[in-house]
Amino acid sequence: MGNDIVDTPESWEIVASRTPFQGAKTAVRSDQVRMPDRTVVRRDYQAHPGSVCVLALDEQQRVLVLRQFRHPVRHRLWELPAGLLDVPGENPLHAAQRELYEEAHVKAGDWRVLADFFSSPGGSDEAVRIFLARDLAEAEGERYEPSEEEADMEIARVPLGDLVRGILAGELGNPGLLTGVLALTAALASDAVDSLRPALAPWPARPYKA
């Protein structure tokens, strides 16, 4: 890849900013932003703490997935284990390990960074890091007791190829699942899995202390 095809940080002048809504986990921010032609326009977006996802791959090339109801889109979606970065500056690897334990009662011996992306950059500042977790085993201790949308969550292990076919057929639509499955498929096709970034690789979108 040429050095010019790289996302770069940039910030335009914010003339004024307010938070018209503050929710339990996220907020709505309204900024007055000065454009290159010097006009000022309003940009409203979701202020989000960030998220982690875990693509847990077993020795049979199956991916651990969860089926969960998502009220905003009125769908039950197949997803990767995932969760919010609830604590500012939280180590994303620790958050991913926690989510894999709580949602699937699974631990992993090998962790890599699979992909980083912005989930909806036109309307949210959410940054997402997807980890590849391998060398899976059942976690020790008691199982986490789920609640709310997670109370009736289904868990399955699905062959990677079946997930790819479902994505291309338009049958699977969760962005973390799509990004993770297609990124892993590309990495496997180019024999690049072992050269993926280490689990504690820097993440400029959500800086943290290792």
Side-chain angles (χ1 to χ4, degrees), residues 59-76:
E59 294 179 353
Q60 300 175 46
Q61 296 292 93
R62 298 178 304 173
V63 178
L64 192 156
V65 290
L66 313 169
R67 188 169 184 249
Q68 185 171 340
F69 175 67
R70 293 300 188 183
H71 174 74
V73 296
R74 309 301 199 273
H75 271 71
R76 282 188 180 270

Side-chain angles (χ1 to χ4, degrees), residues 15-93:
V15 177
S17 181
R18 65 189 185 94
T19 304
F21 172 77
Q22 178 66 59
K25 300 292 185 181
T26 66
V28 172
R29 190 162 295 146
S30 183
D31 293 344
Q32 298 289 332
V33 184
R34 193 177 302 282
M35 298 288 108
D37 64 1
R38 309 304 294 170
T39 60
V40 175
V41 302
R42 192 178 86 184
R43 290 290 179 262
D44 303 323
Y45 59 97
Q46 180 194 38
H48 195 287
S51 305
V52 291
C53 297
V54 184
L55 195 158
L57 186 71
D58 68 17
E59 294 179 353
Q60 300 175 46
Q61 296 292 93
R62 298 178 304 173
V63 178
L64 192 156
V65 290
L66 313 169
R67 188 169 184 249
Q68 185 171 340
F69 175 67
R70 293 300 188 183
H71 174 74
V73 296
R74 309 301 199 273
H75 271 71
R76 282 188 180 270
L77 301 178
W78 285 103
E79 307 179 350
L80 302 177
L84 299 177
L85 292 168
D86 294 317
V87 181
E90 182 178 16
N91 186 314
L93 174 60

Side-chain angles (χ1 to χ4, degrees), residues 114-168:
L114 181 57
D116 295 330
F117 70 101
F118 296 107
S119 62
S120 183
S124 174
D125 68 355
E126 180 184 16
V128 183
R129 168 158 282 189
I130 305 179
F131 290 91
L132 172 63
R134 296 181 293 177
D135 187 17
L136 307 183
E138 184 173 355
E140 297 91 0
E142 296 183 5
R143 287 185 174 272
Y144 178 78
E145 190 65 35
S147 61
E148 300 176 353
E149 288 93 344
E150 298 178 353
D152 64 345
M153 190 164 56
E154 300 175 48
I155 300 177
R157 295 197 184 199
V158 181
L160 180 64
D162 289 356
L163 294 176
V164 172
R165 284 187 286 273
I167 290 168
L168 298 180

